[in-house]
mmCIF file of all heavy atoms in Angstrom:
data_model
loop_
_atom_site.group_PDB
_atom_site.id
_atom_site.type_symbol
_atom_site.label_atom_id
_atom_site.label_comp_id
_atom_site.label_asym_id
_atom_site.label_seq_id
_atom_site.Cartn_x
_atom_site.Cartn_y
_atom_site.Cartn_z
ATOM 1 N N MET A 1 91.892 59.191 99.534
ATOM 2 C CA MET A 1 92.900 59.919 98.782
ATOM 3 C C MET A 1 93.454 61.044 99.655
ATOM 4 O O MET A 1 92.718 61.755 100.306
ATOM 5 C CB MET A 1 92.259 60.472 97.507
ATOM 6 C CG MET A 1 93.162 61.395 96.734
ATOM 7 S SD MET A 1 92.304 62.141 95.349
ATOM 8 C CE MET A 1 93.424 61.729 94.077
ATOM 9 N N THR A 2 94.734 61.192 99.664
ATOM 10 C CA THR A 2 95.358 62.263 100.436
ATOM 11 C C THR A 2 95.743 63.403 99.513
ATOM 12 O O THR A 2 95.964 63.215 98.324
ATOM 13 C CB THR A 2 96.611 61.760 101.169
ATOM 14 O OG1 THR A 2 97.537 61.277 100.213
ATOM 15 C CG2 THR A 2 96.259 60.667 102.163
ATOM 16 N N TYR A 3 95.794 64.566 100.084
ATOM 17 C CA TYR A 3 96.163 65.761 99.329
ATOM 18 C C TYR A 3 97.681 65.778 99.177
ATOM 19 O O TYR A 3 98.406 65.545 100.138
ATOM 20 C CB TYR A 3 95.665 66.994 100.087
ATOM 21 C CG TYR A 3 95.558 68.220 99.250
ATOM 22 C CD1 TYR A 3 94.748 68.255 98.126
ATOM 23 C CD2 TYR A 3 96.247 69.372 99.584
ATOM 24 C CE1 TYR A 3 94.643 69.399 97.362
ATOM 25 C CE2 TYR A 3 96.138 70.523 98.827
ATOM 26 C CZ TYR A 3 95.329 70.520 97.712
ATOM 27 O OH TYR A 3 95.228 71.658 96.955
ATOM 28 N N ALA A 4 98.153 66.025 97.989
ATOM 29 C CA ALA A 4 99.592 65.995 97.705
ATOM 30 C C ALA A 4 100.344 66.974 98.602
ATOM 31 O O ALA A 4 99.965 68.140 98.730
ATOM 32 C CB ALA A 4 99.840 66.325 96.247
ATOM 33 N N ALA A 5 101.397 66.477 99.219
ATOM 34 C CA ALA A 5 102.182 67.298 100.151
ATOM 35 C C ALA A 5 102.766 68.523 99.451
ATOM 36 O O ALA A 5 102.777 69.618 100.023
ATOM 37 C CB ALA A 5 103.286 66.467 100.782
ATOM 38 N N ASP A 6 103.232 68.356 98.219
ATOM 39 C CA ASP A 6 103.796 69.501 97.494
ATOM 40 C C ASP A 6 102.748 70.578 97.268
ATOM 41 O O ASP A 6 103.025 71.765 97.406
ATOM 42 C CB ASP A 6 104.377 69.063 96.145
ATOM 43 C CG ASP A 6 105.672 68.284 96.298
ATOM 44 O OD1 ASP A 6 106.293 68.350 97.381
ATOM 45 O OD2 ASP A 6 106.061 67.620 95.318
ATOM 46 N N ARG A 7 101.529 70.171 96.928
ATOM 47 C CA ARG A 7 100.450 71.135 96.697
ATOM 48 C C ARG A 7 100.086 71.843 97.999
ATOM 49 O O ARG A 7 99.856 73.045 98.014
ATOM 50 C CB ARG A 7 99.238 70.427 96.099
ATOM 51 C CG ARG A 7 98.111 71.334 95.757
ATOM 52 C CD ARG A 7 98.470 72.254 94.611
ATOM 53 N NE ARG A 7 97.343 73.126 94.358
ATOM 54 C CZ ARG A 7 97.438 74.344 93.897
ATOM 55 N NH1 ARG A 7 98.608 74.833 93.578
ATOM 56 N NH2 ARG A 7 96.388 75.075 93.713
ATOM 57 N N LEU A 8 100.038 71.098 99.087
ATOM 58 C CA LEU A 8 99.730 71.683 100.386
ATOM 59 C C LEU A 8 100.780 72.726 100.766
ATOM 60 O O LEU A 8 100.437 73.834 101.193
ATOM 61 C CB LEU A 8 99.641 70.610 101.458
ATOM 62 C CG LEU A 8 99.374 71.094 102.881
ATOM 63 C CD1 LEU A 8 98.047 71.824 102.965
ATOM 64 C CD2 LEU A 8 99.400 69.905 103.830
ATOM 65 N N HIS A 9 102.047 72.401 100.591
ATOM 66 C CA HIS A 9 103.123 73.356 100.896
ATOM 67 C C HIS A 9 102.994 74.610 100.025
ATOM 68 O O HIS A 9 103.215 75.729 100.506
ATOM 69 C CB HIS A 9 104.493 72.706 100.685
ATOM 70 C CG HIS A 9 104.885 71.792 101.779
ATOM 71 N ND1 HIS A 9 104.818 70.435 101.658
ATOM 72 C CD2 HIS A 9 105.332 72.038 103.026
ATOM 73 C CE1 HIS A 9 105.208 69.885 102.789
ATOM 74 N NE2 HIS A 9 105.528 70.839 103.634
ATOM 75 N N GLU A 10 102.652 74.425 98.777
ATOM 76 C CA GLU A 10 102.482 75.564 97.872
ATOM 77 C C GLU A 10 101.354 76.475 98.347
ATOM 78 O O GLU A 10 101.507 77.701 98.387
ATOM 79 C CB GLU A 10 102.177 75.034 96.472
ATOM 80 C CG GLU A 10 102.045 76.091 95.414
ATOM 81 C CD GLU A 10 101.763 75.467 94.059
ATOM 82 O OE1 GLU A 10 102.662 74.823 93.510
ATOM 83 O OE2 GLU A 10 100.622 75.622 93.567
ATOM 84 N N GLU A 11 100.228 75.894 98.716
ATOM 85 C CA GLU A 11 99.094 76.688 99.206
ATOM 86 C C GLU A 11 99.458 77.433 100.487
ATOM 87 O O GLU A 11 99.143 78.620 100.637
ATOM 88 C CB GLU A 11 97.887 75.791 99.477
ATOM 89 C CG GLU A 11 97.226 75.270 98.246
ATOM 90 C CD GLU A 11 96.047 74.380 98.572
ATOM 91 O OE1 GLU A 11 95.681 74.240 99.762
ATOM 92 O OE2 GLU A 11 95.485 73.817 97.627
ATOM 93 N N VAL A 12 100.097 76.734 101.419
ATOM 94 C CA VAL A 12 100.472 77.348 102.690
ATOM 95 C C VAL A 12 101.430 78.510 102.458
ATOM 96 O O VAL A 12 101.249 79.602 103.007
ATOM 97 C CB VAL A 12 101.082 76.303 103.650
ATOM 98 C CG1 VAL A 12 101.718 76.976 104.854
ATOM 99 C CG2 VAL A 12 100.024 75.306 104.091
ATOM 100 N N ALA A 13 102.432 78.304 101.630
ATOM 101 C CA ALA A 13 103.401 79.362 101.349
ATOM 102 C C ALA A 13 102.724 80.568 100.693
ATOM 103 O O ALA A 13 103.018 81.719 101.032
ATOM 104 C CB ALA A 13 104.515 78.832 100.446
ATOM 105 N N TYR A 14 101.821 80.318 99.788
ATOM 106 C CA TYR A 14 101.123 81.380 99.061
ATOM 107 C C TYR A 14 100.293 82.246 100.022
ATOM 108 O O TYR A 14 100.387 83.472 100.004
ATOM 109 C CB TYR A 14 100.236 80.731 98.001
ATOM 110 C CG TYR A 14 99.684 81.643 96.944
ATOM 111 C CD1 TYR A 14 100.519 82.249 96.010
ATOM 112 C CD2 TYR A 14 98.317 81.868 96.832
ATOM 113 C CE1 TYR A 14 100.006 83.057 95.013
ATOM 114 C CE2 TYR A 14 97.806 82.668 95.839
ATOM 115 C CZ TYR A 14 98.645 83.259 94.929
ATOM 116 O OH TYR A 14 98.133 84.057 93.943
ATOM 117 N N VAL A 15 99.497 81.589 100.855
ATOM 118 C CA VAL A 15 98.654 82.324 101.810
ATOM 119 C C VAL A 15 99.521 83.024 102.853
ATOM 120 O O VAL A 15 99.292 84.197 103.179
ATOM 121 C CB VAL A 15 97.619 81.389 102.473
ATOM 122 C CG1 VAL A 15 96.854 82.115 103.568
ATOM 123 C CG2 VAL A 15 96.651 80.833 101.426
ATOM 124 N N ALA A 16 100.534 82.335 103.362
ATOM 125 C CA ALA A 16 101.411 82.930 104.373
ATOM 126 C C ALA A 16 102.129 84.154 103.813
ATOM 127 O O ALA A 16 102.251 85.179 104.495
ATOM 128 C CB ALA A 16 102.425 81.902 104.862
ATOM 129 N N TYR A 17 102.594 84.062 102.592
ATOM 130 C CA TYR A 17 103.310 85.181 101.961
ATOM 131 C C TYR A 17 102.412 86.411 101.851
ATOM 132 O O TYR A 17 102.827 87.530 102.156
ATOM 133 C CB TYR A 17 103.803 84.765 100.578
ATOM 134 C CG TYR A 17 104.449 85.892 99.814
ATOM 135 C CD1 TYR A 17 105.770 86.247 100.055
ATOM 136 C CD2 TYR A 17 103.737 86.608 98.857
ATOM 137 C CE1 TYR A 17 106.371 87.279 99.355
ATOM 138 C CE2 TYR A 17 104.333 87.646 98.156
ATOM 139 C CZ TYR A 17 105.640 87.978 98.405
ATOM 140 O OH TYR A 17 106.228 89.005 97.719
ATOM 141 N N HIS A 18 101.182 86.211 101.436
ATOM 142 C CA HIS A 18 100.296 87.348 101.190
ATOM 143 C C HIS A 18 99.595 87.861 102.447
ATOM 144 O O HIS A 18 99.351 89.061 102.561
ATOM 145 C CB HIS A 18 99.266 86.989 100.123
ATOM 146 C CG HIS A 18 99.870 86.907 98.756
ATOM 147 N ND1 HIS A 18 100.151 88.020 98.000
ATOM 148 C CD2 HIS A 18 100.280 85.851 98.031
ATOM 149 C CE1 HIS A 18 100.704 87.655 96.857
ATOM 150 N NE2 HIS A 18 100.798 86.332 96.854
ATOM 151 N N PHE A 19 99.243 86.987 103.357
ATOM 152 C CA PHE A 19 98.484 87.403 104.543
ATOM 153 C C PHE A 19 99.304 87.397 105.821
ATOM 154 O O PHE A 19 98.821 87.833 106.861
ATOM 155 C CB PHE A 19 97.256 86.513 104.734
ATOM 156 C CG PHE A 19 96.157 86.752 103.734
ATOM 157 C CD1 PHE A 19 95.155 85.817 103.576
ATOM 158 C CD2 PHE A 19 96.088 87.897 102.970
ATOM 159 C CE1 PHE A 19 94.125 86.009 102.673
ATOM 160 C CE2 PHE A 19 95.067 88.109 102.062
ATOM 161 C CZ PHE A 19 94.081 87.158 101.920
ATOM 162 N N HIS A 20 100.512 86.838 105.776
ATOM 163 C CA HIS A 20 101.389 86.781 106.948
ATOM 164 C C HIS A 20 100.759 86.003 108.104
ATOM 165 O O HIS A 20 100.981 86.324 109.266
ATOM 166 C CB HIS A 20 101.800 88.190 107.404
ATOM 167 C CG HIS A 20 102.327 89.026 106.295
ATOM 168 N ND1 HIS A 20 103.574 88.822 105.736
ATOM 169 C CD2 HIS A 20 101.767 90.043 105.593
ATOM 170 C CE1 HIS A 20 103.761 89.689 104.764
ATOM 171 N NE2 HIS A 20 102.688 90.433 104.656
ATOM 172 N N TRP A 21 99.980 84.984 107.764
ATOM 173 C CA TRP A 21 99.392 84.109 108.769
ATOM 174 C C TRP A 21 100.405 83.023 109.116
ATOM 175 O O TRP A 21 101.246 82.656 108.310
ATOM 176 C CB TRP A 21 98.115 83.472 108.260
ATOM 177 C CG TRP A 21 96.980 84.435 108.074
ATOM 178 C CD1 TRP A 21 96.912 85.722 108.504
ATOM 179 C CD2 TRP A 21 95.762 84.182 107.394
ATOM 180 N NE1 TRP A 21 95.714 86.288 108.134
ATOM 181 C CE2 TRP A 21 94.990 85.370 107.451
ATOM 182 C CE3 TRP A 21 95.240 83.083 106.736
ATOM 183 C CZ2 TRP A 21 93.732 85.462 106.889
ATOM 184 C CZ3 TRP A 21 93.975 83.186 106.180
ATOM 185 C CH2 TRP A 21 93.233 84.352 106.254
ATOM 186 N N SER A 22 100.292 82.476 110.307
ATOM 187 C CA SER A 22 101.202 81.422 110.749
ATOM 188 C C SER A 22 100.848 80.086 110.090
ATOM 189 O O SER A 22 99.727 79.886 109.602
ATOM 190 C CB SER A 22 101.138 81.264 112.269
ATOM 191 O OG SER A 22 99.908 80.649 112.634
ATOM 192 N N LEU A 23 101.809 79.186 110.127
ATOM 193 C CA LEU A 23 101.604 77.845 109.585
ATOM 194 C C LEU A 23 100.409 77.178 110.261
ATOM 195 O O LEU A 23 99.551 76.603 109.583
ATOM 196 C CB LEU A 23 102.872 77.007 109.780
ATOM 197 C CG LEU A 23 102.797 75.546 109.347
ATOM 198 C CD1 LEU A 23 102.531 75.431 107.854
ATOM 199 C CD2 LEU A 23 104.077 74.826 109.733
ATOM 200 N N ASP A 24 100.350 77.261 111.575
ATOM 201 C CA ASP A 24 99.242 76.629 112.307
ATOM 202 C C ASP A 24 97.891 77.208 111.911
ATOM 203 O O ASP A 24 96.916 76.472 111.753
ATOM 204 C CB ASP A 24 99.440 76.761 113.818
ATOM 205 C CG ASP A 24 100.555 75.869 114.339
ATOM 206 O OD1 ASP A 24 100.876 74.866 113.670
ATOM 207 O OD2 ASP A 24 101.101 76.188 115.407
ATOM 208 N N GLU A 25 97.829 78.530 111.749
ATOM 209 C CA GLU A 25 96.566 79.154 111.348
ATOM 210 C C GLU A 25 96.106 78.645 109.985
ATOM 211 O O GLU A 25 94.921 78.372 109.789
ATOM 212 C CB GLU A 25 96.704 80.673 111.291
ATOM 213 C CG GLU A 25 96.838 81.342 112.633
ATOM 214 C CD GLU A 25 97.132 82.821 112.525
ATOM 215 O OE1 GLU A 25 98.124 83.188 111.862
ATOM 216 O OE2 GLU A 25 96.348 83.602 113.091
ATOM 217 N N ILE A 26 97.026 78.526 109.075
ATOM 218 C CA ILE A 26 96.671 78.092 107.721
ATOM 219 C C ILE A 26 96.320 76.609 107.703
ATOM 220 O O ILE A 26 95.322 76.208 107.078
ATOM 221 C CB ILE A 26 97.810 78.414 106.745
ATOM 222 C CG1 ILE A 26 98.037 79.929 106.686
ATOM 223 C CG2 ILE A 26 97.494 77.879 105.350
ATOM 224 C CD1 ILE A 26 99.318 80.347 105.993
ATOM 225 N N LEU A 27 97.095 75.788 108.397
ATOM 226 C CA LEU A 27 96.815 74.356 108.414
ATOM 227 C C LEU A 27 95.534 74.018 109.179
ATOM 228 O O LEU A 27 94.920 72.978 108.925
ATOM 229 C CB LEU A 27 97.993 73.596 109.019
ATOM 230 C CG LEU A 27 99.242 73.536 108.147
ATOM 231 C CD1 LEU A 27 100.361 72.810 108.897
ATOM 232 C CD2 LEU A 27 98.966 72.877 106.807
ATOM 233 N N ASP A 28 95.108 74.873 110.091
ATOM 234 C CA ASP A 28 93.867 74.646 110.827
ATOM 235 C C ASP A 28 92.631 74.897 109.965
ATOM 236 O O ASP A 28 91.529 74.478 110.334
ATOM 237 C CB ASP A 28 93.797 75.533 112.072
ATOM 238 C CG ASP A 28 94.657 75.018 113.214
ATOM 239 O OD1 ASP A 28 95.085 73.845 113.161
ATOM 240 O OD2 ASP A 28 94.913 75.795 114.160
ATOM 241 N N MET A 29 92.812 75.533 108.836
ATOM 242 C CA MET A 29 91.688 75.813 107.941
ATOM 243 C C MET A 29 91.233 74.536 107.252
ATOM 244 O O MET A 29 92.028 73.645 106.983
ATOM 245 C CB MET A 29 92.092 76.834 106.868
ATOM 246 C CG MET A 29 92.492 78.175 107.400
ATOM 247 S SD MET A 29 93.187 79.225 106.117
ATOM 248 C CE MET A 29 91.689 79.676 105.266
ATOM 249 N N GLU A 30 89.945 74.462 106.959
ATOM 250 C CA GLU A 30 89.434 73.367 106.145
ATOM 251 C C GLU A 30 89.971 73.537 104.727
ATOM 252 O O GLU A 30 90.193 74.662 104.267
ATOM 253 C CB GLU A 30 87.902 73.384 106.123
ATOM 254 C CG GLU A 30 87.273 73.117 107.469
ATOM 255 C CD GLU A 30 87.479 71.689 107.930
ATOM 256 O OE1 GLU A 30 87.528 70.783 107.070
ATOM 257 O OE2 GLU A 30 87.606 71.484 109.149
ATOM 258 N N HIS A 31 90.180 72.431 104.052
ATOM 259 C CA HIS A 31 90.755 72.481 102.706
ATOM 260 C C HIS A 31 89.981 73.401 101.753
ATOM 261 O O HIS A 31 90.595 74.241 101.078
ATOM 262 C CB HIS A 31 90.862 71.061 102.126
ATOM 263 C CG HIS A 31 91.408 71.035 100.759
ATOM 264 N ND1 HIS A 31 90.695 70.557 99.705
ATOM 265 C CD2 HIS A 31 92.597 71.441 100.262
ATOM 266 C CE1 HIS A 31 91.422 70.670 98.617
ATOM 267 N NE2 HIS A 31 92.577 71.193 98.923
ATOM 268 N N PRO A 32 88.651 73.313 101.672
ATOM 269 C CA PRO A 32 87.941 74.218 100.755
ATOM 270 C C PRO A 32 88.140 75.698 101.099
ATOM 271 O O PRO A 32 88.216 76.544 100.203
ATOM 272 C CB PRO A 32 86.478 73.819 100.909
ATOM 273 C CG PRO A 32 86.509 72.424 101.432
ATOM 274 C CD PRO A 32 87.749 72.342 102.293
ATOM 275 N N ASP A 33 88.228 76.008 102.384
ATOM 276 C CA ASP A 33 88.450 77.401 102.789
ATOM 277 C C ASP A 33 89.833 77.881 102.358
ATOM 278 O O ASP A 33 89.983 78.986 101.842
ATOM 279 C CB ASP A 33 88.305 77.560 104.304
ATOM 280 C CG ASP A 33 86.888 77.320 104.778
ATOM 281 O OD1 ASP A 33 85.948 77.515 103.987
ATOM 282 O OD2 ASP A 33 86.731 76.926 105.951
ATOM 283 N N ARG A 34 90.831 77.026 102.559
ATOM 284 C CA ARG A 34 92.190 77.391 102.159
ATOM 285 C C ARG A 34 92.275 77.567 100.647
ATOM 286 O O ARG A 34 92.869 78.516 100.146
ATOM 287 C CB ARG A 34 93.180 76.337 102.644
ATOM 288 C CG ARG A 34 94.624 76.767 102.486
ATOM 289 C CD ARG A 34 95.603 75.767 103.065
ATOM 290 N NE ARG A 34 95.417 74.435 102.541
ATOM 291 C CZ ARG A 34 94.923 73.398 103.245
ATOM 292 N NH1 ARG A 34 94.607 73.543 104.509
ATOM 293 N NH2 ARG A 34 94.778 72.212 102.685
ATOM 294 N N ARG A 35 91.647 76.688 99.892
ATOM 295 C CA ARG A 35 91.632 76.804 98.429
ATOM 296 C C ARG A 35 90.940 78.088 97.996
ATOM 297 O O ARG A 35 91.333 78.726 97.036
ATOM 298 C CB ARG A 35 90.936 75.600 97.792
ATOM 299 C CG ARG A 35 91.698 74.316 97.877
ATOM 300 C CD ARG A 35 92.972 74.297 97.064
ATOM 301 N NE ARG A 35 92.724 74.651 95.688
ATOM 302 C CZ ARG A 35 93.533 75.386 94.942
ATOM 303 N NH1 ARG A 35 94.670 75.838 95.418
ATOM 304 N NH2 ARG A 35 93.232 75.676 93.712
ATOM 305 N N ARG A 36 89.903 78.492 98.729
ATOM 306 C CA ARG A 36 89.185 79.725 98.404
ATOM 307 C C ARG A 36 90.096 80.933 98.592
ATOM 308 O O ARG A 36 90.113 81.843 97.767
ATOM 309 C CB ARG A 36 87.936 79.843 99.279
ATOM 310 C CG ARG A 36 87.155 81.134 99.110
ATOM 311 C CD ARG A 36 86.428 81.154 97.777
ATOM 312 N NE ARG A 36 85.842 82.437 97.484
ATOM 313 C CZ ARG A 36 84.578 82.769 97.738
ATOM 314 N NH1 ARG A 36 83.770 81.892 98.279
ATOM 315 N NH2 ARG A 36 84.142 83.964 97.435
ATOM 316 N N TYR A 37 90.867 80.949 99.677
ATOM 317 C CA TYR A 37 91.809 82.049 99.892
ATOM 318 C C TYR A 37 92.861 82.087 98.796
ATOM 319 O O TYR A 37 93.213 83.151 98.297
ATOM 320 C CB TYR A 37 92.473 81.953 101.267
ATOM 321 C CG TYR A 37 91.629 82.542 102.370
ATOM 322 C CD1 TYR A 37 90.908 81.733 103.243
ATOM 323 C CD2 TYR A 37 91.541 83.914 102.539
ATOM 324 C CE1 TYR A 37 90.123 82.275 104.241
ATOM 325 C CE2 TYR A 37 90.761 84.463 103.536
ATOM 326 C CZ TYR A 37 90.051 83.642 104.383
ATOM 327 O OH TYR A 37 89.275 84.180 105.362
ATOM 328 N N VAL A 38 93.362 80.925 98.408
ATOM 329 C CA VAL A 38 94.347 80.868 97.324
ATOM 330 C C VAL A 38 93.747 81.458 96.047
ATOM 331 O O VAL A 38 94.377 82.269 95.368
ATOM 332 C CB VAL A 38 94.833 79.412 97.095
ATOM 333 C CG1 VAL A 38 95.605 79.281 95.792
ATOM 334 C CG2 VAL A 38 95.676 78.949 98.268
ATOM 335 N N ALA A 39 92.519 81.076 95.729
ATOM 336 C CA ALA A 39 91.863 81.579 94.517
ATOM 337 C C ALA A 39 91.636 83.082 94.588
ATOM 338 O O ALA A 39 91.828 83.804 93.600
ATOM 339 C CB ALA A 39 90.540 80.844 94.300
ATOM 340 N N GLU A 40 91.219 83.571 95.738
ATOM 341 C CA GLU A 40 90.969 85.007 95.883
ATOM 342 C C GLU A 40 92.259 85.819 95.803
ATOM 343 O O GLU A 40 92.288 86.892 95.189
ATOM 344 C CB GLU A 40 90.238 85.296 97.197
ATOM 345 C CG GLU A 40 88.811 84.817 97.215
ATOM 346 C CD GLU A 40 87.953 85.459 96.143
ATOM 347 O OE1 GLU A 40 88.061 86.682 95.902
ATOM 348 O OE2 GLU A 40 87.165 84.732 95.522
ATOM 349 N N ILE A 41 93.325 85.331 96.417
ATOM 350 C CA ILE A 41 94.617 86.014 96.322
ATOM 351 C C ILE A 41 95.058 86.078 94.866
ATOM 352 O O ILE A 41 95.509 87.125 94.389
ATOM 353 C CB ILE A 41 95.683 85.315 97.186
ATOM 354 C CG1 ILE A 41 95.359 85.468 98.670
ATOM 355 C CG2 ILE A 41 97.075 85.874 96.890
ATOM 356 C CD1 ILE A 41 96.164 84.541 99.569
ATOM 357 N N ALA A 42 94.912 84.965 94.154
ATOM 358 C CA ALA A 42 95.292 84.932 92.738
ATOM 359 C C ALA A 42 94.465 85.928 91.932
ATOM 360 O O ALA A 42 94.990 86.644 91.064
ATOM 361 C CB ALA A 42 95.123 83.527 92.178
ATOM 362 N N ARG A 43 93.169 86.006 92.214
ATOM 363 C CA ARG A 43 92.283 86.947 91.514
ATOM 364 C C ARG A 43 92.713 88.387 91.776
ATOM 365 O O ARG A 43 92.806 89.201 90.854
ATOM 366 C CB ARG A 43 90.837 86.727 91.962
ATOM 367 C CG ARG A 43 89.821 87.558 91.189
ATOM 368 C CD ARG A 43 88.417 87.339 91.730
ATOM 369 N NE ARG A 43 88.281 87.750 93.113
ATOM 370 C CZ ARG A 43 88.180 89.009 93.518
ATOM 371 N NH1 ARG A 43 88.223 89.994 92.655
ATOM 372 N NH2 ARG A 43 88.056 89.293 94.801
ATOM 373 N N ILE A 44 93.014 88.709 93.013
ATOM 374 C CA ILE A 44 93.459 90.051 93.372
ATOM 375 C C ILE A 44 94.779 90.378 92.681
ATOM 376 O O ILE A 44 94.948 91.458 92.114
ATOM 377 C CB ILE A 44 93.587 90.195 94.901
ATOM 378 C CG1 ILE A 44 92.208 90.143 95.545
ATOM 379 C CG2 ILE A 44 94.341 91.470 95.278
ATOM 380 C CD1 ILE A 44 92.241 89.929 97.054
ATOM 381 N N ASN A 45 95.717 89.434 92.712
ATOM 382 C CA ASN A 45 97.009 89.657 92.067
ATOM 383 C C ASN A 45 96.865 89.874 90.570
ATOM 384 O O ASN A 45 97.547 90.726 89.987
ATOM 385 C CB ASN A 45 97.968 88.490 92.339
ATOM 386 C CG ASN A 45 98.513 88.517 93.740
ATOM 387 O OD1 ASN A 45 98.566 89.557 94.391
ATOM 388 N ND2 ASN A 45 98.933 87.363 94.221
ATOM 389 N N THR A 46 95.994 89.113 89.946
ATOM 390 C CA THR A 46 95.754 89.279 88.500
ATOM 391 C C THR A 46 95.170 90.658 88.221
ATOM 392 O O THR A 46 95.615 91.359 87.301
ATOM 393 C CB THR A 46 94.791 88.182 87.986
ATOM 394 O OG1 THR A 46 95.408 86.915 88.206
ATOM 395 C CG2 THR A 46 94.489 88.378 86.518
ATOM 396 N N ARG A 47 94.203 91.061 89.011
ATOM 397 C CA ARG A 47 93.578 92.379 88.823
ATOM 398 C C ARG A 47 94.599 93.492 88.998
ATOM 399 O O ARG A 47 94.648 94.443 88.212
ATOM 400 C CB ARG A 47 92.412 92.530 89.796
ATOM 401 C CG ARG A 47 91.513 93.718 89.455
ATOM 402 C CD ARG A 47 90.304 93.793 90.340
ATOM 403 N NE ARG A 47 90.720 94.176 91.681
ATOM 404 C CZ ARG A 47 90.264 93.627 92.806
ATOM 405 N NH1 ARG A 47 89.400 92.659 92.766
ATOM 406 N NH2 ARG A 47 90.704 94.050 93.968
ATOM 407 N N ILE A 48 95.442 93.389 89.991
ATOM 408 C CA ILE A 48 96.474 94.412 90.241
ATOM 409 C C ILE A 48 97.468 94.451 89.091
ATOM 410 O O ILE A 48 97.841 95.529 88.627
ATOM 411 C CB ILE A 48 97.174 94.150 91.590
ATOM 412 C CG1 ILE A 48 96.228 94.450 92.748
ATOM 413 C CG2 ILE A 48 98.453 94.989 91.708
ATOM 414 C CD1 ILE A 48 96.740 93.989 94.098
ATOM 415 N N SER A 49 97.891 93.287 88.635
ATOM 416 C CA SER A 49 98.891 93.259 87.553
ATOM 417 C C SER A 49 98.343 93.792 86.245
ATOM 418 O O SER A 49 99.094 94.247 85.394
ATOM 419 C CB SER A 49 99.446 91.841 87.366
ATOM 420 O OG SER A 49 98.483 91.003 86.811
ATOM 421 N N GLN A 50 97.015 93.754 86.100
ATOM 422 C CA GLN A 50 96.378 94.273 84.895
ATOM 423 C C GLN A 50 96.006 95.751 85.055
ATOM 424 O O GLN A 50 95.424 96.340 84.155
ATOM 425 C CB GLN A 50 95.150 93.453 84.532
ATOM 426 C CG GLN A 50 95.489 92.048 84.116
ATOM 427 C CD GLN A 50 94.261 91.197 83.890
ATOM 428 O OE1 GLN A 50 93.131 91.546 84.255
ATOM 429 N NE2 GLN A 50 94.465 90.039 83.286
ATOM 430 N N GLY A 51 96.293 96.301 86.212
ATOM 431 C CA GLY A 51 96.051 97.715 86.452
ATOM 432 C C GLY A 51 94.601 98.090 86.671
ATOM 433 O O GLY A 51 94.194 99.210 86.416
ATOM 434 N N ARG A 52 93.807 97.164 87.173
ATOM 435 C CA ARG A 52 92.395 97.458 87.431
ATOM 436 C C ARG A 52 92.140 97.741 88.871
ATOM 437 O O ARG A 52 92.663 97.301 89.759
ATOM 438 C CB ARG A 52 91.512 96.274 87.029
ATOM 439 C CG ARG A 52 91.519 96.023 85.564
ATOM 440 C CD ARG A 52 90.463 95.036 85.229
ATOM 441 N NE ARG A 52 91.013 94.032 84.350
ATOM 442 C CZ ARG A 52 90.409 92.906 84.062
ATOM 443 N NH1 ARG A 52 89.272 92.614 84.606
ATOM 444 N NH2 ARG A 52 90.933 92.055 83.235
#
């Protein structure tokens, strides 16, 4: 099974936007590591938006 290209682009854009990492740096990451960064960024954004 391959990872959906649209989902991959979404993850890359999300991490790149928040961390300003290059495309190559993000694509070189293992999938679970990249998903972890996406989850952590989302958690931080939620906490900030809730004023915590």
Side-chain angles (χ1 to χ4, degrees):
M1 173 186 233
T2 60
Y3 199 59
D6 287 343
R7 183 68 181 149
L8 178 61
H9 283 103
E10 183 179 290
E11 288 179 5
V12 169
Y14 194 67
V15 174
Y17 175 81
H18 288 281
F19 288 164
H20 310 287
W21 292 349
S22 73
L23 176 62
D24 288 337
E25 289 173 305
I26 298 167
L27 289 177
D28 283 345
M29 298 171 76
E30 295 291 327
H31 179 242
D33 293 334
R34 190 176 54 251
R35 289 293 306 142
R36 176 72 189 265
Y37 277 103
V38 167
E40 290 300 318
I41 292 166
R43 186 183 62 77
I44 292 166
N45 285 336
T46 299
R47 193 175 70 223
I48 289 170
S49 71
Q50 293 174 347
R52 294 190 227 168

